[in-house]
Amino acid sequence: MDADFANEFDLESLPASFYDDPYPTYRALRTHAPVKRMRNGSWFLTRYADCSAVYRNTATFRSDKRREFRPKFGDTPLFEHHTNSLVFNDAPSHTRVRKLIVGALSPRAISSMAPALQGLVDRLLDGMADQAEVDLIADFAAAIPVEVIGNLLDVPHAERGQLRDWSLAILGALEPVLSPESAVRGNQAVTDFLAYLRGLVGDRRAHPGDPEHDVLTRLIQGEPDGERLSETELLHNCIFLLNAGHETTTNLIGNGLVALHDHPDQRERLIEDPMLITTAVEEILRYESSNQLGNRSVAEPTEVGGVAMPAGALITICIGAANRDPEVFPDPETFDIARTANRHLAFGGGFHMCAGLSLARLEGQVAIGSLLNRFPDYALTSPPVRGGRVRFRGFLKVPCAPRG
Ligand code: HEM
């Protein structure tokens, strides 16, 4: 049975049941075909050791996607956007751009955001207090990152509503299969987003903010030693930053609240010992990773997990499978909010490791901890609706009665 699962698996034609629960398939692949050849010739990795080794070796396993994205996107705004994003570039251009972005997301910058984040979460919880039913995604999980990233780039409040739709459309185009509708939506979103940002950047150039607090001003002005972004790099990496922190963080909060609901013993444990929120968020990231897949291409002939690969081979790293590998995580299918030595790959690894991980952790801890504190008996009122994506795992809708 397990071997059949592994034999039949193909990322481009998945059964409906996979979207609900991909983990039996991942387990079967890890056991029977850990370096699995897809019908299109690419490779799908499910063992932690292989995924981690690929992330760490940036000389052999490249992030540049020009060759892969050209046939997928053609000469379109989506192609221009994704090939200019930090995450899909290699050194030396990646190194330059990352230095500026990491500098703007320093631990000091992140910790200074904590009071405003707590205020935002408290206001959202206040708004839920007298409702019989709320949607934990629209009314809570999705409402947080849009404001946090909006604050980060100082986007005026009234203009933030459109950011989420743009972000979903642009990232949706990264699914393994690109439908014509997704392509149209994604291209329109890049075009609209660029037009919007040109105005915002022009305005900020004319009226710079305080670079200590305003990330956009910092990215415009560059480093004191002269490192600067070109206009194209600046605009596309602003879009990338806005996107990188949206759906992933919404899903971290949504996945966490559903997992805690489905594991009442773990919810009780967290209520009794709120200090466990730090390890709880790491466990949510491991157990239901919001970003399930990563990609690399092979620069020179190599081998992965004992399988030879030629230059040009394409690889999918399955974060969701690696994070449940029993070789690394004892009892990997168990959701244990006090798990320690939790070296999950939810934020990737190596030089491209998530530059926003401190911010994502802070948002997850404040959002989940505060909701549990205010509504310890929250109860789902009907089954949550999944997002139906393979790469970004989360819920579209989580109907819930907020009970205190
Ligand atoms: C739970 C939330 C998040 C998850 C699971 C997540 C996951 C990831 C992963 C797996 C990568 C590596 C991609 C690769 O190497 O192929 C990445 C990169 C990145 N993430 Fe996140 N992310 C999250 C939130 C954020 C936030 C809030 C921000 C910023 C506001 C952010 C900014 C970035 C940036 C800039 C990169 C590119 C780093 C590089 O290529 O050097 N992320 N993220």
Side-chain angles (χ1 to χ4, degrees):
M1 170 69 180
D2 258 18
D4 290 346
F5 254 155
N7 268 336
E8 283 160 22
F9 177 78
D10 194 80
L11 199 53
E12 292 181 358
S13 57
L14 294 165
S17 58
F18 180 89
Y19 295 87
D20 282 341
D21 185 5
Y23 301 108
T25 309
Y26 290 164
R27 196 165 51 236
L29 283 165
R30 235 181 6 246
T31 312
H32 299 285
V35 184
K36 163 86 182 161
R37 191 92 196 251
M38 302 284 98
R39 264 174 233 132
N40 66 8
S42 68
W43 301 90
F44 191 83
L45 310 183
T46 43
R47 268 193 312 229
Y48 183 98
D50 296 335
C51 295
S52 173
V54 168
Y55 268 136
R56 270 154 229 288
N57 181 352
T58 45
T60 305
F61 302 103
R62 299 299 180 97
S63 292
D64 186 299
K65 300 278 183 293
R66 266 170 292 202
R67 196 170 58 85
E68 202 180 332
F69 284 170
R70 176 62 76 191
K72 180 170 183 172
F73 295 129
D75 189 9
T76 59
L78 274 171
F79 179 80
E80 183 186 89
H81 168 64
H82 286 307
T83 53
N84 270 291
S85 294
L86 168 70
V87 72
F88 296 141
N89 271 285
D90 297 311
S93 118
H94 169 260
T95 321
R96 277 184 54 237
V97 180
R98 180 168 170 110
K99 192 168 163 224
L100 277 168
I101 289 185
V102 167
L105 292 170
S106 69
R108 200 151 62 104
I110 304 298
S111 63
S112 72
M113 292 175 203
L117 171 62
Q118 186 67 60
L120 162 68
V121 167
D122 289 343
R123 279 194 303 283
L124 292 171
L125 294 173
D126 288 345
M128 287 156 71
D130 53 1
Q131 313 268 344
E133 187 182 275
V134 298
D135 175 5
L136 286 181
I137 303 301
D139 299 327
F140 192 63
I144 297 168
V146 75
E147 290 298 324
V148 169
I149 313 236
N151 287 344
L152 202 71
L153 296 184
D154 210 3
V155 173
H157 283 275
E159 294 164 13
R160 293 181 186 180
Q162 53 201 348
L163 300 180
R164 182 167 158 73
D165 289 342
W166 286 336
S167 154
L168 290 178
I170 295 169
L171 292 185
L174 294 177
E175 280 293 284
V177 179
L178 176 69
S179 70
E181 304 79 55
S182 301
V184 170
R185 261 202 313 275
N187 280 313
Q188 192 58 51
V190 175
T191 306
D192 294 347
F193 212 152
L194 279 176
Y196 171 72
L197 276 177
R198 279 192 194 99
L200 190 74
V201 167
D203 189 54
R204 203 63 53 84
R205 279 193 203 284
H207 310 283
D210 170 4
E212 275 300 309
H213 300 287
D214 173 18
V215 171
L216 184 53
T217 299
R218 221 187 146 108
L219 292 176
I220 291 171
Q221 293 181 346
E223 290 286 305
D225 61 14
E227 204 59 80
R228 287 249 178 145
L229 298 181
S230 71
E231 186 75 6
T232 307
E233 284 172 339
L234 174 67
L235 294 175
H236 284 293
N237 281 293
C238 282
I239 296 184
F240 173 67
L241 260 186
L242 286 158
N243 290 343
H246 263 177
E247 198 173 350
T248 47
T249 314
T250 299
N251 291 350
L252 161 62
I253 299 168
N255 291 349
L257 291 172
V258 172
L260 287 166
H261 180 269
D262 292 348
H263 297 82
D265 58 325
Q266 298 300 307
R267 164 160 50 173
E268 213 40 57
R269 208 169 161 198
L270 190 50
I271 291 168
E272 274 166 24
D273 185 359
M275 298 298 279
L276 285 177
I277 191 66
T278 317
T279 47
V281 164
E282 297 312 303
E283 181 65 345
I284 294 160
L285 285 161
R286 180 195 74 83
Y287 185 76
E288 279 282 40
S289 306
S290 359
N291 187 351
Q292 293 264 315
L293 306 177
N295 295 92
R296 295 293 187 267
S297 62
V298 172
E300 62 210 6
T302 187
E303 59 93 16
V304 178
V307 176
M309 289 185 194
L314 299 178
I315 294 180
T316 300
I317 298 164
C318 185
I319 297 173
N323 282 345
R324 293 195 183 202
D325 187 337
E327 291 287 319
V328 178
F329 304 99
D331 237 343
E333 309 291 339
T334 300
F335 179 60
D336 172 5
I337 61 156
R339 188 183 288 272
T340 46
N342 195 344
R343 290 180 301 117
H344 61 72
L345 295 180
F347 292 121
F351 288 156
H352 282 277
M353 188 155 186
C354 179
L357 54 80
S358 306
L359 181 55
R361 285 180 164 136
L362 181 70
E363 288 180 70
Q365 291 165 11
V366 171
I368 295 169
S370 305
L371 187 130
L372 214 54
N373 181 38
R374 182 78 75 93
F375 304 120
D377 297 326
Y378 73 96
L380 302 200
T381 44
S382 49
V385 180
R386 280 234 161 258
R389 297 196 191 198
V390 185
R391 186 176 296 278
F392 295 102
R393 182 162 177 80
F395 294 97
L396 280 182
K397 206 171 157 51
V398 181
C400 165
R403 297 187 194 137

